Amino acid sequence: MKKILVIAIFMVTCITTAQVKLTGVVKDSIGVPLEMANVIAIDNNTKAIASYGFSDAKGFFRLDLKNNTSYNVKISYIGFKEISTTINTTTVDVVKNFTMKEDNMLDGINIVSKMPVTISGDTISYNADSFKNGTERKLEDVLKKLPGVEINAAGQIEVEGKAVEKITIDGKDFFSGDTKLATKNIPSNAIDKIQVLRNFSDVSQLSGVQNNEDRVAINIKLKEGKKNFWFGDVTAGIGDAPNETLYLFQPKLFYYTPKYTLNVIGDVNNIGEVVLDRGDLRSFGANFQSQSPSNGTNINIADAGIGFLTANARNANKIETKLSAFNFSYSPNKKLNLGGFLIFSSNTNGQRNINTIDYVDPNTPDDLVDNTTNQTSNTGLFRFTSIYKKDINNQMNYNIAGRFSNEFKTDNINSQVLSDITETENATPFTINQDLSYFYTASEKSIFALEIKHLLQDEDPFYIASLENNPNNNDDANNDGFDDAAETLGLDRSNLFYNLEQDRRVKTNQMDAKLDYYYILNSVSNLNFVAGTILSNQNYNSRFFQILDNGDEFTPNPTIPGVVDPQTTNDTEYKFADIYAGVRYRLKAGIFTITPGFTVHSYNSQNTQYGTEFFQDKFFQVLPEFNVIAQFKRSESLNFTYRQQVNFTDVNQIARGIVASRYNSFFSGNDELINASFHNIRLNYRSFNLFNNSNVFAGLNYTKTINQVNSNTIFQPGSVVSSSTSINSPLDNESFTAFGNVSKTIKKITGRLGGNFNYNKSYQFINSLENTNENISRGINTRIGTNFTKAPNVNLSYNVSFIDQKNSARNADIKTVRHIPSIDFDAYIWNSLTVKTDFSYNETRQEGNVINSFKIWNASFAYRKDKDAKWEYELVGSNLLATGSNLNVNQNIISFSINERFILPRFVSLRVRYQL
């Protein structure tokens, strides 16, 4: 760490020598300071931008210039005449004030467009070329260099700690705004400007009557030469790895005109480069963002699919990816915009995990599980969108999206307690989402917004487990690990194998409709009246049975402790209705925007099981909410929110028949579950200061949950096999999160310091005994790096996390510490050679002892004749140290486990890229 500080100090010292400061104040003609005026210094000799800055709230600005140099200094501000003057520096600091005169011709716009960063209202515009050094190839390479913008570990874009909701290109949706496809595929040389749109709203009619503080989008402005022509690149590669030949083919083609756009993305590789994993695909393009606030009701429609593991280069030892994606937009006239996409994805991967499991229950034996998995997911997605704007007062949107999958998985497991097990799962689920909305401005004071959403979902997972059995020792004290569980489940124990099968079918049909009416009282306040309904209907059918060694089907007769009249089938219909109305009042008073409100709900949930068993819950509830925003400056605000919400579970938790979740976990629902309710308080602060090149964001989040749906888990004595059922926790669960991040740029050096604190307290029942679990985690992340445009760049980072787990069933706490230092380097040499490399070290400790450490080193060398060359040749090496596995520590209420994951071996590939 000391070496890092020495390097940083040396870099700062080198670039701050032989400089003078130009300072002053920018005011209008009557002496009022102008905040965020653009100040730019152009070297009269090189004609390049030498320095730029902005005036603060008092009109003060500062530029760092070279001594003994002549500059053309220009001051611009929308609505004022541009000021242009020559300043010759010596070795003494210069002080000069400027007075600007109004001009309706909006002079200075051209100067603004040349600025590396500009702010106009809620839009931050970055001139992409100002942050490039030649090593960039895709959008994400540029985004990582922008102040205030981060790409997190999941590949999502974050601005000031908030996830970016969507990405558009020249105002057109790119694959419905998916950020991951955009960052991985849009070529960096096509980008002119990157516009961060804060307080984003899809409907301009509602932007003035709502608080959209948490919504952020990004719009990419293309360079003029990239319009009306195909652009993009095609990459092909081959390589070598232990016992495998590597291949890669990635065409990425784009065509943009004012009237229509086409985007084509293909990807076939076995190198572990997964653009969209299964988790991404299950949420991709199917969720439609409501244009009005949430009204306090949440229904958790659970995923009844198979237990897929997310695969990437750091947790899988084999990955094969196929992706074909087509996106279009078409505007036949100024009123109508059409768009959509078609995607087919096929991911096949292999994984091996060795789990050392320490169960919380002292009577449950610890286990060592070696699990080898092979899984395939074939998914097709489509989406069609339409936006019709008759005029500024009328807008109608219709969207439909669907996902169809064919998934299958095989696990070969060796358990120290249960011996050898084989599991297979398959499913062919589909989901169709529709959304219709209409926005009508009736007058200057009245706006109506109608939104209707419909979900149709069908899931059909089928599960098979086969466990070895010695039928001669079933009643011995030292019997097989599954024998006692088999007796409880009512299985036939006279077979050489316990062959268990679970068939399920879950159908969901849900509609959410609401009407918002906004009445504008005056220029600083408005009322929002809302009325709506949520109607949901789910059907759940399942069957758990055993296949005997002779092939016959056997229906078990279970006797599970704590479960009344356990069944091996499910025939459940669950209906839910919420009819609600509410009002919100929005007031702007000075720097404050205050929005109190409430909604009144009439709830009716009922479930019918086996055609005769009926349970109903009807009640009324008032859900208050309150929001206040303090806007200290144009780029500094504090946001406080309080909400009370109601959380309903779905049919998967209510159906009371036995379901085999896994070979060692069996579940039975609870038909008398009631809703959970929670109180949530959030406080967020953000400051984006271009005057001193600093970015600060911080937040607090506290949630208290009442009647949380938890579980009562009962382990078979001396076995790792458990059965569980859902219960409403008699005690309140609590969680508290605090985070903060400060980043600052000094010349070409960027530093960041961040931290987080998380506290979670929850209650479960293990063997019908109350169990309290507390998790406390703290983390610090730091980074210091350079952002040169004509020199190599280095980024050094260090992350450390501390995790403490307290559980009432344990005598001692479990404390884990994780250290992750890393470095990455990129350079553009001789205007032809691009060098990139990154190295990370990961170490996990417990009680001061190192329980695991691993290193990952990747590198690439790319050659092109010059920056405009069509052909590029690249040598890529991943996992060059041939690290075989990494380790992850998992802590939950049931157990503490150390998971060793085997990863992709050393890969070396040669690639050829042709740029259109």
Side-chain angles (χ1 to χ4, degrees):
M1 200 64 187
K2 291 182 179 178
K3 292 182 179 179
I4 294 175
L5 293 174
V6 170
I7 293 172
I9 294 170
F10 175 74
M11 289 179 173
V12 173
T13 303
C14 289
I15 62 177
T16 55
T17 57
Q19 289 188 333
V20 298
K21 292 184 176 64
L22 169 63
T23 59
V25 176
V26 181
K27 298 181 178 181
D28 64 12
S29 57
I30 61 174
V32 177
L34 295 176
E35 183 183 3
M36 299 307 296
N38 300 286
V39 186
I40 186 170
I42 300 174
D43 191 311
N44 284 329
N45 183 34
T46 64
K47 305 302 180 183
I49 296 176
S51 184
Y52 72 95
F54 303 84
S55 57
D56 63 11
K58 297 180 180 179
F60 181 78
F61 72 90
R62 182 184 66 200
L63 298 182
D64 293 307
L65 306 174
K66 295 179 181 178
N67 55 21
N68 300 317
T69 307
S70 177
Y71 293 98
N72 180 12
V73 176
K74 297 188 177 185
I75 316 292
S76 61
Y77 195 92
I78 300 296
F80 289 81
K81 288 184 178 181
E82 177 193 305
I83 295 176
S84 179
T85 185
T86 299
I87 292 180
N88 297 309
T89 62
T90 59
T91 58
V92 181
D93 292 343
V94 180
V95 178
K96 189 171 179 63
N97 299 324
F98 297 92
T99 300
M100 305 192 73
K101 297 181 180 180
E102 292 186 9
D103 183 2
N104 292 328
M105 297 302 292
L106 303 180
D107 285 350
I109 290 179
N110 290 333
I111 298 302
V112 171
S113 67
K114 295 178 182 178
M115 293 284 289
V117 185
T118 60
I119 292 184
S120 177
D122 290 321
T123 301
I124 305 174
S125 295
Y126 298 92
N127 183 29
D129 287 342
S130 300
F131 297 91
K132 298 177 185 177
N133 72 339
T135 63
E136 304 81 12
R137 294 297 180 269
K138 301 300 177 185
L139 172 61
E140 68 174 346
D141 299 325
V142 183
L143 291 173
K144 291 176 181 178
K145 299 181 178 182
L146 304 183
V149 181
E150 298 282 340
I151 295 184
N152 62 25
Q156 296 176 319
I157 310 169
E158 292 183 351
V159 174
E160 300 166 14
K162 292 176 286 192
V164 171
E165 183 179 308
K166 68 188 300 185
I167 284 185
T168 59
I169 301 180
D170 280 341
K172 306 287 187 180
D173 277 4
F174 182 82
F175 284 94
S176 296
D178 179 75
T179 60
K180 213 170 190 181
L181 266 182
T183 58
K184 297 289 185 182
N185 293 286
I186 297 175
S188 60
N189 63 356
I191 302 169
D192 180 30
K193 285 183 173 33
I194 298 173
Q195 298 175 324
V196 174
L197 312 175
R198 298 181 297 185
N199 298 318
F200 170 73
S201 176
D202 285 304
V203 181
S204 58
Q205 294 157 271
L206 302 181
S207 60
V209 294
Q210 291 182 338
N211 298 329
N212 295 303
E213 185 79 6
D214 292 330
R215 298 188 65 186
V216 181
I218 284 180
N219 181 51
I220 305 298
K221 300 289 289 184
L222 297 176
K223 292 182 176 180
E224 288 301 321
K226 300 300 180 180
K227 299 177 183 179
N228 300 309
F229 293 97
W230 282 98
F231 66 93
D233 56 60
V234 179
T235 303
I238 57 173
D240 185 57
N243 305 317
E244 192 165 11
T245 299
L246 304 178
Y247 58 84
L248 177 145
F249 180 64
Q250 297 174 331
K252 301 172 182 181
L253 308 175
F254 312 91
Y255 188 85
Y256 276 78
T257 71
K259 195 169 185 177
Y260 66 91
T261 69
L262 298 173
N263 303 293
V264 181
I265 297 174
D267 191 356
V268 180
N269 78 81
N270 64 345
I271 299 178
E273 296 186 3
V274 181
V275 176
L276 294 176
D277 60 35
R278 178 179 178 269
D280 298 323
L281 291 166
R282 291 189 72 83
S283 60
F284 188 90
N287 297 319
F288 301 114
Q289 176 73 45
S290 175
Q291 298 305 310
S292 64
S294 168
N295 292 299
T297 301
N298 297 313
I299 304 178
N300 294 326
I301 303 297
D303 178 8
I306 65 179
F308 247 70
L309 302 174
T310 300
N312 56 55
R314 294 296 164 259
N315 68 5
N317 53 24
K318 177 184 177 182
I319 300 178
E320 296 180 1
T321 297
K322 297 177 183 178
L323 177 71
S324 300
F326 172 77
N327 174 232
F328 79 95
S329 68
Y330 176 57
S331 302
N333 53 57
K334 292 183 179 180
K335 296 181 179 181
L336 181 62
N337 287 286
L338 306 175
F341 63 71
L342 293 171
I343 297 176
F344 172 76
S345 172
S346 177
N347 290 329
T348 299
N349 60 78
Q351 300 184 342
R352 185 186 177 198
N353 294 267
I354 298 179
N355 257 309
T356 303
I357 306 173
D358 176 12
Y359 286 95
V360 168
D361 179 22
N363 297 317
T364 301
D366 295 337
D367 202 359
L368 178 66
V369 179
D370 189 342
N371 190 345
T372 301
T373 301
N374 289 287
Q375 54 190 23
T376 297
S377 175
N378 299 311
T379 303
L381 301 101
F382 76 89
R383 175 162 173 160
F384 174 77
T385 65
S386 62
I387 301 175
Y388 177 69
K389 294 182 180 181
K390 180 181 178 181
D391 48 46
I392 61 172
N393 297 324
N394 290 268
Q395 177 175 329
M396 185 169 67
N397 304 341
Y398 173 73
N399 308 286
I400 183 170
R403 181 184 71 246
F404 301 84
S405 299
N406 179 17
E407 304 173 335
F408 43 94
K409 170 187 173 185
T410 300
D411 287 294
N412 291 303
I413 305 157
N414 178 265
S415 165
Q416 183 174 275
V417 176
L418 299 178
S419 190
D420 292 331
I421 306 110
T422 300
E423 290 182 309
T424 60
E425 298 179 79
N426 62 76
T428 56
F430 73 83
T431 298
I432 296 177
N433 276 271
Q434 295 185 82
D435 170 81
L436 175 67
S437 55
Y438 177 60
F439 307 95
Y440 172 57
T441 302
S443 67
E444 292 183 357
K445 291 185 174 293
S446 298
I447 302 173
F448 293 89
L450 173 67
E451 296 183 271
I452 303 172
K453 294 193 292 185
H454 179 253
L455 167 68
L456 185 65
Q457 183 170 288
D458 192 330
E459 298 172 290
D460 60 346
F462 191 86
Y463 171 79
I464 300 173
S466 179
L467 298 89
E468 291 184 329
N469 178 46
N470 179 359
N472 299 316
N473 68 355
N474 289 334
D475 298 316
D476 296 348
N478 189 26
N479 59 7
D480 298 326
F482 194 77
D483 284 340
D484 291 340
E487 183 177 18
T488 299
L489 290 169
L491 301 176
D492 186 331
R493 301 194 297 168
S494 64
N495 294 262
L496 294 176
F497 289 90
Y498 293 115
N499 293 312
L500 312 178
E501 299 193 5
Q502 175 72 63
D503 189 11
R504 281 188 290 167
R505 189 72 177 269
V506 185
K507 296 181 180 181
T508 301
N509 192 333
Q510 180 173 308
M511 185 184 72
D512 184 344
K514 59 182 172 180
L515 175 66
D516 282 276
Y517 170 61
Y518 297 89
Y519 181 72
I520 301 172
L521 298 171
N522 49 53
S523 61
V524 295
S525 62
N526 66 268
L527 288 168
N528 169 211
F529 299 94
V530 62
T533 184
I534 301 175
L535 302 174
S536 178
N537 187 79
Q538 291 185 292
N539 288 283
Y540 187 106
N541 291 279
S542 75
R543 191 166 63 101
F544 170 61
F545 55 99
Q546 180 183 5
I547 301 297
L548 305 180
D549 288 351
N550 62 8
D552 291 344
E553 183 178 305
F554 176 76
T555 300
N557 184 23
T559 55
I560 298 178
V563 178
V564 180
D565 187 25
Q567 302 289 321
T568 58
T569 62
N570 273 302
D571 178 10
T572 303
E573 183 179 19
Y574 176 57
K575 294 181 178 180
F576 171 84
D578 172 21
I579 300 174
Y580 61 87
V583 62
R584 300 179 181 92
Y585 174 65
R586 184 171 181 262
L587 171 67
K588 290 186 177 182
I591 66 171
F592 297 100
T593 301
I594 305 169
T595 312
F598 66 91
T599 52
V600 181
H601 298 255
S602 172
Y603 293 111
N604 184 359
S605 63
Q606 53 185 269
N607 68 85
T608 304
Q609 310 212 22
Y610 309 109
T612 57
E613 301 176 11
F614 182 77
F615 178 83
Q616 185 174 27
D617 187 20
K618 299 175 66 175
F619 63 98
F620 289 87
Q621 188 153 348
V622 179
L623 301 178
E625 59 185 74
F626 179 76
N627 175 253
V628 58
I629 301 171
Q631 193 76 41
F632 303 114
K633 299 176 185 177
R634 293 174 64 181
S635 297
E636 183 183 16
S637 67
L638 185 67
N639 189 340
F640 172 82
T641 301
Y642 165 76
R643 296 185 68 86
Q644 183 177 341
Q645 294 182 291
V646 176
N647 203 37
F648 289 87
T649 187
D650 80 335
V651 71
N652 289 276
Q653 297 289 329
I654 293 172
R656 71 177 185 84
I658 293 173
V659 173
S661 303
R662 287 207 69 189
Y663 66 91
N664 62 347
S665 178
F666 298 84
F667 174 78
S668 176
N670 181 354
D671 58 355
E672 296 186 356
L673 284 178
I674 62 174
N675 64 284
S677 60
F678 60 89
H679 303 266
N680 178 250
I681 297 174
R682 290 188 298 140
L683 181 67
N684 291 317
Y685 171 81
R686 69 174 181 88
S687 174
F688 186 71
N689 193 326
L690 287 174
F691 173 74
N692 60 13
N693 292 315
S694 65
N695 183 36
V696 181
F697 61 86
L700 302 174
N701 193 330
Y702 172 77
T703 301
K704 182 177 182 178
T705 308
I706 303 166
N707 292 322
Q708 174 69 45
V709 176
N710 289 333
S711 64
N712 179 18
T713 302
I714 299 175
F715 284 92
Q716 289 295 320
S719 175
V720 297
V721 181
S722 67
S723 58
S724 62
T725 187
S726 298
I727 60 171
N728 287 111
S729 174
L731 300 172
D732 299 341
N733 291 0
E734 293 181 286
S735 66
F736 174 76
T737 300
F739 66 90
N741 192 300
V742 180
S743 60
K744 185 173 179 60
T745 299
I746 303 175
K747 304 297 187 295
K748 295 295 184 179
I749 307 297
T750 299
R752 185 189 71 185
L753 174 64
N756 63 79
F757 174 87
N758 296 280
Y759 171 78
N760 185 279
K761 184 177 183 179
S762 58
Y763 298 90
Q764 300 277 110
F765 285 81
I766 298 179
N767 293 334
S768 298
L769 298 176
E770 180 186 313
N771 179 271
T772 303
N773 191 78
E774 293 181 87
N775 271 320
I776 300 175
S777 64
R778 296 90 66 205
I780 298 174
N781 60 84
T782 61
R783 186 181 70 191
I784 185 169
T786 62
N787 192 15
F788 297 112
T789 55
K790 294 185 178 180
N793 285 299
V794 179
N795 284 284
L796 302 165
S797 65
Y798 174 70
N799 298 335
V800 59
S801 61
F802 305 86
I803 303 174
D804 299 342
Q805 185 191 45
K806 300 179 181 180
N807 193 291
S808 57
R810 294 183 182 275
N811 294 324
D813 300 343
I814 296 177
K815 298 185 177 182
T816 305
V817 182
R818 197 171 189 179
H819 300 270
I820 310 176
S822 64
I823 181 172
D824 63 80
F825 170 88
D826 66 80
Y828 188 46
I829 305 171
W830 306 312
N831 292 324
S832 59
L833 181 64
T834 298
V835 180
K836 291 184 179 183
T837 185
D838 62 85
F839 172 83
S840 64
Y841 175 75
N842 195 308
E843 180 184 271
T844 303
R845 299 179 184 179
Q846 284 185 350
E847 305 300 331
N849 300 316
V850 177
I851 61 173
N852 180 265
S853 65
F854 60 91
K855 306 170 185 176
I856 299 293
W857 178 34
N858 306 307
S860 67
F861 300 87
Y863 171 79
R864 56 183 176 181
K865 187 176 180 180
D866 53 59
K867 65 178 183 180
D868 297 320
K870 297 291 186 182
W871 292 94
E872 183 174 31
Y873 308 91
E874 185 177 22
L875 182 65
V876 179
S878 61
N879 192 12
L880 291 172
L881 299 177
T883 299
S885 64
N886 59 37
L887 181 142
N888 188 42
V889 174
N890 299 312
Q891 297 171 228
N892 58 49
I893 291 177
I894 300 299
S895 66
F896 170 85
S897 63
I898 299 175
N899 180 28
E900 181 183 8
R901 301 174 299 192
F902 291 83
I903 66 175
L904 293 176
R906 180 193 293 121
F907 280 1
V908 178
S909 62
L910 177 64
R911 309 179 187 187
V912 179
R913 182 179 296 111
Y914 178 77
Q915 179 178 291
L916 276 71

